Amino acid sequence: MKLRIRAALALAALLVLAGCQITTFEQAPLAALPCDPAVVGEWHSIGEAPSGDGEMILRVAADCQLSVEERTAEGPRIGEPTRLFLGEHAGRRYAWTDAGWLLRRFEEDHPVPAGDVHLVRFAIEGDRLSLWSTDDKRIAHAIIDGDLSGEVSARDRRLFNRLVGPPSPEVLEHAGLFDDASADFRKIEPRP
């Protein structure tokens, strides 16, 4: 799977296909808001086939600590938790995590500067969480064309973008910044 899809699935993580891709931000483009109780809980990925549900589980604690569990053929894979940050701009909601954590969590060896973040857009309707990861190929083209300020690194069929500059929420309005399709999760209520 591409790293960007796993990044989306991980909220930050939205979402990892063959030929890894990711976009990081030098700084979060938004100020962080307090943890939203609507985000808190356990979220299971919704698969295309009935047996595909719950392949990825996101757990968000009341203090916005995020832990991610992957269900694999070898058994569950749980990594270190991280802080999840939330923000809002122009009526849309965003979540981000430390980019270094995300790359370590999904075993990608690309180094990123300390402080870089990975950001996804999200929406919650009822018990459904939808996450949109960055569209890394379109972002790379926008950086190369000078429409976005950043750096592009491509090697071994892998693409790494880094958006640089002072924090500016306007970057989130750039056409093509996020994928058209979302990764979806369903909230699982704790059993009594």
Side-chain angles (χ1 to χ4, degrees):
M1 297 178 104
K2 286 185 186 174
L3 180 59
R4 67 186 179 94
I5 289 175
R6 273 198 175 170
L9 293 174
L11 273 178
L14 347 218
L15 341 28
V16 178
L17 303 173
C20 299
Q21 301 180 74
I22 189 171
T23 296
T24 63
F25 292 71
E26 178 181 25
Q27 300 175 55
L30 301 169
L33 298 173
C35 196
D36 182 349
V39 174
V40 173
E42 185 170 306
W43 302 89
H44 289 224
S45 60
I46 300 173
E48 292 181 15
S51 62
D53 287 0
E55 179 183 332
M56 180 78 62
I57 299 171
L58 309 177
R59 291 183 181 95
V60 181
D63 63 354
C64 260
Q65 286 293 310
L66 168 68
S67 63
V68 178
E69 177 182 335
E70 294 172 90
R71 293 186 177 166
T72 68
E74 296 79 37
R77 183 171 172 260
I78 301 171
E80 67 180 287
T82 192
R83 172 90 171 134
L84 178 68
F85 297 91
L86 306 174
E88 188 171 334
H89 174 69
R92 295 195 179 209
R93 300 172 75 189
Y94 300 89
W96 62 94
T97 62
D98 175 76
W101 168 84
L102 181 72
L103 292 167
R104 284 189 312 276
R105 175 65 181 86
F106 293 106
E107 299 175 350
E108 178 56 55
D109 64 358
H110 182 75
V112 293
D116 275 22
V117 300
H118 179 266
L119 181 138
V120 297
R121 192 174 76 207
F122 77 94
I124 296 176
E125 282 190 41
D127 69 345
R128 188 179 184 112
L129 168 68
S130 297
L131 302 168
W132 290 267
S133 188
T134 50
D135 188 325
D136 306 310
K137 287 182 182 176
R138 286 197 280 185
I139 291 170
H141 285 286
I143 292 170
I144 291 166
D145 293 343
D147 296 331
L148 288 172
S149 179
E151 307 159 352
V152 177
S153 172
R155 59 184 161 91
D156 302 326
R157 296 183 54 217
R158 297 165 23 187
L159 177 66
F160 301 98
N161 300 320
R162 182 174 189 243
L163 297 174
V164 298
S168 172
E170 288 74 29
V171 72
L172 301 172
E173 299 171 17
H174 184 82
L177 195 69
F178 293 95
D179 286 332
D180 296 328
S182 63
D184 298 309
F185 293 77
R186 182 173 293 111
K187 191 169 195 174
I188 305 300
E189 295 300 329
R191 294 181 187 186

